[in-house]
Amino acid sequence: MKYSLKPMKTILGIESSCDETAAAVVSRGTEILSSVVASQIKVHAPFGGVVPELASRKHLESIAPVVEQALEDAGISRDQIDGVAVTRGPGLVGALLVGFSFAKAYAFALDVPWVGVNHLLGHIHSVLMSPSPPEFPFAALLVSGGHTSIYKVSSRTDMEVMGQTRDDAAGEAFDKVSKAMGLGYPGGEIISKLAESGDPHKISFPRSWLDKKKFDFSFSGIKTAVGRYMQVHEDSWHDEKADIAASFQEAVVEVLATKLINAAKSIGCPRVAVAGGVAANACLRDRVTQLAAKAGMSVHLPDISLCGDNAAMIAAAGYYKLAAGERSPLNMDVFSRMEKL
């Protein structure tokens, strides 16, 4: 495929890795001209989690109108798009294929270059899109429903894993605890809200530090501990929901924030950032800010609108790839598991 020679400026981003169909138009990697997200929460809520088959079908229904809405909101026409960036993975294969295939065809029809973007790289770029982005290098905690990792970010394209979860992601633990307590889906927002009226020190749930000198995580134990508490206090836990939520959240947040700060100290870096869906959690944002202040570090947090899955972050990451000359071939496929950023 031979692309027309156009300078990279306006990028269409497409995201469909899980249960949100998203499209955005971003200029020069930082200016968001539009960002549209079609949520599937109402579809999956009755099941207490994302049903992959249903997610794929909803993406098929939403992808075209969401992209058209993004262009309309940005006030541009299709021929003003200089390139297309799309999430390649990790994520649900069926869901990924919808956005990925659409992006390929769209770029081919417009005769513009396109590039597949690692979803996690996109989340890191959500921090870099802020009005005062961190200088390089910085330590970044990426925490969501499917991922929990700490990275040393040396540039927009050079990111090294310092630690990651060995089992459940933090966001997944929130969802599962919420489901066990009969609170609903998605669990993160529900537990965070309920925790506001609870005592975070009422119940001493375990902290899984593993090795405090290293930066891996484990959240399967805290999930089990909550379930065990509910079994032992079968007759009374219903009256303690707020305290359970607050104490559970406290245990998770303490480990996340402490390991991020320790990771930054280990590389002599005075800058930390938090990205991903759980970055919207007020308790986590406050705790990281407090610990960073004590350590003399600056904190960089994305706008709440950029914490969850969105296409603006994909367009931003894609812009720098395309501007550097990277191009994806039409025979490229998606990937469902971790791959180098």
Side-chain angles (χ1 to χ4, degrees):
M1 181 176 180
K2 186 177 180 180
Y3 303 109
S4 56
L5 297 177
K6 298 172 63 178
M8 286 298 112
K9 178 183 176 183
T10 305
I11 306 299
L12 170 66
I14 295 174
E15 152 66 27
S16 67
S17 63
C18 191
D19 61 337
E20 273 112 3
T21 312
V25 178
V26 173
S27 176
R28 302 187 189 280
T30 56
E31 183 184 358
I32 302 175
L33 303 182
S34 69
S35 182
V36 179
V37 179
S39 174
Q40 299 180 12
I41 288 178
K42 290 183 179 180
V43 175
H44 302 289
F47 305 96
V50 177
V51 181
E53 175 66 17
L54 293 180
S56 299
R57 290 178 181 275
K58 291 303 293 184
H59 284 309
L60 282 170
E61 294 175 10
S62 303
I63 185 68
V66 163
V67 168
E68 289 306 305
Q69 187 64 55
L71 295 181
E72 182 179 332
D73 290 354
I76 66 170
S77 59
R78 297 175 187 175
D79 60 7
Q80 291 177 281
I81 296 172
D82 299 319
V84 177
V86 59
T87 301
R88 184 184 173 206
L92 303 174
V93 173
L96 285 165
L97 281 170
V98 175
F100 203 67
S101 300
F102 186 94
K104 282 186 186 182
Y106 208 79
F108 183 85
L110 294 179
D111 189 30
V112 297
W114 73 283
V115 67
V117 174
N118 187 306
H119 179 74
L120 308 184
L121 179 67
H123 274 302
I124 297 297
H125 273 78
S126 70
V127 177
L128 297 172
M129 297 177 76
S130 66
S132 301
E135 296 180 4
F136 299 110
F138 62 90
L141 170 66
L142 197 165
V143 55
S144 67
H147 313 281
T148 302
S149 306
I150 294 178
Y151 294 90
K152 176 185 177 183
V153 184
S154 300
S155 73
R156 291 183 179 275
T157 56
D158 183 7
M159 304 178 191
E160 174 187 353
V161 177
M162 300 182 68
Q164 58 191 341
T165 183
R166 296 183 183 180
D167 40 60
D168 292 348
E172 180 183 0
F174 271 88
D175 286 339
K176 289 182 176 179
V177 167
S178 178
K179 184 177 182 179
M181 294 173 67
L183 300 176
Y185 172 86
E189 184 177 350
I190 295 172
I191 286 183
S192 177
K193 185 67 176 178
L194 181 60
E196 293 176 2
S197 58
D199 181 353
H201 306 293
K202 183 68 176 292
I203 305 167
S204 182
F205 288 126
R207 275 71 165 158
S208 183
W209 295 107
L210 300 178
D211 183 341
K212 280 197 174 184
K213 294 181 181 180
K214 296 183 180 179
F215 314 113
D216 281 351
F217 301 95
S218 173
F219 295 107
S220 61
I222 178 67
K223 178 188 64 181
T224 302
V226 173
R228 180 59 179 160
Y229 184 89
M230 292 166 61
Q231 290 177 342
V232 172
H233 301 83
E234 183 178 0
D235 297 329
S236 61
W237 75 264
H238 292 278
D239 299 323
E240 302 177 78
K241 286 185 177 180
D243 290 336
I244 293 174
S247 298
F248 161 75
Q249 178 177 260
E250 174 67 19
V252 173
V253 164
E254 181 180 348
V255 173
L256 290 172
T258 301
K259 291 217 170 197
L260 172 60
I261 299 302
N262 288 345
K265 288 179 179 178
S266 74
I267 57 175
C269 181
R271 294 169 292 276
V272 296
V274 185
V278 184
N281 181 281
C283 183
L284 177 60
R285 294 169 82 95
D286 291 344
R287 186 63 54 82
V288 170
T289 300
Q290 292 167 7
L291 293 183
K294 290 181 180 179
M297 299 177 181
S298 61
V299 179
H300 301 270
L301 304 169
D303 186 85
I304 295 295
S305 66
L306 294 177
C307 290
D309 291 348
N310 66 88
M313 66 185 191
I314 301 303
Y319 167 80
Y320 291 98
K321 285 176 169 286
L322 290 167
E326 184 174 339
R327 302 291 187 266
S328 292
L330 288 175
N331 63 355
M332 177 179 277
D333 202 355
V334 300
F335 64 91
S336 61
R337 296 183 180 274
M338 287 295 295
E339 185 175 279
K340 182 177 173 57
L341 294 185

